[in-house]
Coordinates of all heavy atoms in Angstrom, one line a residue:
V122 N 1.8 4.9 -13.5 CA 1.1 3.8 -12.8 C 1.0 4.3 -11.4 O 2.1 4.5 -10.7 CB 1.7 2.5 -12.9 CG1 1.1 1.5 -12.0 CG2 1.7 2.0 -14.4
E123 N -0.2 4.3 -10.8 CA -0.4 4.7 -9.4 C -0.8 3.4 -8.7 O -1.7 2.7 -9.0 CB -1.5 5.7 -9.2 CG -1.7 6.1 -7.7 CD -2.8 7.1 -7.5 OE1 -3.4 7.5 -8.5 OE2 -3.0 7.4 -6.4
L124 N -0.1 3.1 -7.6 CA -0.3 2.0 -6.8 C -1.3 2.4 -5.7 O -1.1 3.3 -4.9 CB 0.9 1.4 -6.1 CG 2.1 0.9 -7.0 CD1 3.2 0.3 -6.2 CD2 1.6 -0.1 -8.1
G150 N -2.5 4.4 -15.4 CA -3.0 3.1 -14.8 C -3.1 3.2 -13.3 O -2.2 3.8 -12.6
I151 N -4.1 2.6 -12.7 CA -4.3 2.5 -11.3 C -4.3 1.1 -10.9 O -5.2 0.3 -11.3 CB -5.6 3.2 -10.8 CG1 -5.6 4.7 -11.2 CG2 -5.8 3.1 -9.3 CD1 -6.8 5.5 -10.9
L152 N -3.4 0.6 -10.2 CA -3.3 -0.8 -9.7 C -3.9 -0.8 -8.4 O -3.4 -0.4 -7.3 CB -1.8 -1.3 -9.6 CG -1.7 -2.7 -9.1 CD1 -2.4 -3.7 -9.9 CD2 -0.2 -3.1 -9.0
E153 N -5.2 -1.3 -8.3 CA -6.0 -1.2 -7.1 C -6.6 -2.6 -6.8 O -7.4 -3.1 -7.4 CB -7.2 -0.2 -7.2 CG -8.1 -0.1 -6.0 CD -7.3 0.2 -4.7 OE1 -6.9 1.3 -4.6 OE2 -7.2 -0.8 -3.9
P154 N -6.1 -3.3 -5.7 CA -6.5 -4.6 -5.4 C -7.9 -4.7 -4.9 O -8.5 -5.8 -4.8 CB -5.5 -5.1 -4.4 CG -5.0 -3.9 -3.7 CD -4.9 -2.8 -4.8
S155 N -8.4 -3.6 -4.3 CA -9.8 -3.6 -3.7 C -10.8 -3.2 -4.7 O -10.8 -2.1 -5.2 CB -9.8 -2.5 -2.6 OG -11.1 -2.4 -2.2
A156 N -11.8 -4.1 -5.0 CA -12.8 -3.9 -5.9 C -13.7 -2.8 -5.4 O -14.2 -2.0 -6.2 CB -13.7 -5.2 -6.1
D157 N -13.9 -2.7 -4.1 CA -14.7 -1.6 -3.6 C -14.1 -0.3 -3.8 O -14.7 0.7 -4.3 CB -14.9 -1.8 -2.0 CG -15.6 -0.6 -1.4 OD1 -16.8 -0.4 -1.7 OD2 -15.0 0.1 -0.6
Q159 N -11.8 0.5 -6.1 CA -11.8 0.6 -7.5 C -13.1 1.2 -8.0 O -13.1 2.2 -8.8 CB -11.5 -0.7 -8.2 CG -11.4 -0.5 -9.8 CD -11.0 -1.8 -10.5 OE1 -11.7 -2.1 -11.5 NE2 -10.1 -2.5 -10.0
Q160 N -14.3 0.8 -7.5 CA -15.5 1.3 -7.9 C -15.7 2.8 -7.4 O -16.2 3.7 -8.2 CB -16.6 0.5 -7.2 CG -18.0 0.9 -7.6 CD -19.1 0.1 -7.0 OE1 -19.0 -0.5 -5.9 NE2 -20.2 -0.1 -7.7
Q162 N -13.2 4.9 -7.0 CA -12.4 5.7 -7.8 C -13.0 5.9 -9.2 O -13.0 7.1 -9.7 CB -11.0 4.9 -8.1 CG -10.2 4.8 -6.9 CD -9.2 3.6 -6.9 OE1 -9.0 3.1 -8.0 NE2 -8.6 3.3 -5.8
Q163 N -13.6 4.9 -9.8 CA -14.2 5.1 -11.1 C -15.4 6.1 -11.0 O -15.6 7.0 -11.9 CB -14.8 3.7 -11.6 CG -13.6 2.8 -11.9 CD -14.2 1.3 -12.2 OE1 -15.3 0.9 -11.7 NE2 -13.4 0.6 -12.9
H179 N -7.0 3.7 -16.9 CA -7.4 2.3 -16.9 C -7.0 1.7 -15.6 O -6.1 2.1 -14.9 CB -6.8 1.6 -18.1 CG -5.4 1.4 -18.1 ND1 -4.7 0.3 -18.1 CD2 -4.3 2.4 -18.1 CE1 -3.3 0.4 -18.1 NE2 -3.1 1.8 -18.2
W180 N -7.7 0.7 -15.2 CA -7.4 -0.1 -14.0 C -6.7 -1.3 -14.3 O -7.1 -2.1 -15.1 CB -8.7 -0.3 -13.1 CG -9.1 1.0 -12.4 CD1 -8.8 1.2 -11.1 CD2 -9.8 2.1 -12.9 NE1 -9.3 2.5 -10.7 CE2 -9.9 3.0 -11.9 CE3 -10.3 2.5 -14.2 CZ2 -10.5 4.3 -11.9 CZ3 -11.0 3.7 -14.3 CH2 -11.0 4.6 -13.3
L181 N -5.7 -1.6 -13.4 CA -4.8 -2.8 -13.7 C -5.2 -3.8 -12.7 O -5.4 -3.6 -11.5 CB -3.3 -2.4 -13.5 CG -2.8 -1.2 -14.4 CD1 -1.4 -0.9 -14.0 CD2 -2.8 -1.7 -15.9
Q182 N -5.3 -5.1 -13.1 CA -5.5 -6.2 -12.2 C -4.2 -6.8 -11.6 O -4.2 -7.5 -10.6 CB -6.2 -7.3 -13.0 CG -7.6 -6.9 -13.6 CD -8.5 -6.3 -12.5 OE1 -8.7 -6.9 -11.5 NE2 -9.1 -5.1 -12.8
R183 N -3.1 -6.4 -12.3 CA -1.8 -6.9 -11.8 C -0.7 -5.9 -12.4 O -1.0 -5.1 -13.2 CB -1.5 -8.3 -12.3 CG -1.5 -8.4 -13.9 CD -1.3 -9.8 -14.4 NE -2.5 -10.6 -14.0 CZ -3.6 -10.7 -14.7 NH1 -3.8 -10.0 -15.8 NH2 -4.6 -11.5 -14.3
P184 N 0.4 -5.9 -11.8 CA 1.5 -5.0 -12.3 C 1.8 -5.3 -13.8 O 1.6 -6.4 -14.3 CB 2.7 -5.4 -11.4 CG 2.2 -6.0 -10.3 CD 0.9 -6.8 -10.7
P185 N 2.2 -4.2 -14.5 CA 2.5 -4.4 -15.9 C 3.6 -5.5 -16.1 O 4.5 -5.6 -15.4 CB 3.1 -3.0 -16.4 CG 2.5 -2.1 -15.3 CD 2.4 -2.9 -14.0
E186 N 3.3 -6.3 -17.2 CA 4.3 -7.5 -17.4 C 5.2 -7.1 -18.6 O 6.3 -7.5 -18.7 CB 3.4 -8.7 -17.8 CG 2.7 -9.2 -16.6 CD 1.8 -10.4 -16.8 OE1 1.7 -10.8 -18.0 OE2 1.2 -11.0 -15.9
V271 N 6.3 -5.3 -8.8 CA 5.5 -4.1 -9.2 C 6.3 -3.2 -10.1 O 5.8 -2.5 -11.0 CB 5.1 -3.3 -8.0 CG1 4.1 -4.2 -7.1 CG2 6.2 -2.7 -7.2

Side-chain angles (χ1 to χ4, degrees):
V122 172
E123 182 183 359
L124 302 184
I151 301 176
L152 179 58
E153 178 55 69
S155 167
D157 173 64
Q159 184 178 131
Q160 183 180 33
Q162 293 157 13
Q163 291 170 339
H179 65 119
W180 278 264
L181 305 172
Q182 301 304 311
R183 62 186 63 84
E186 296 178 352
V271 300

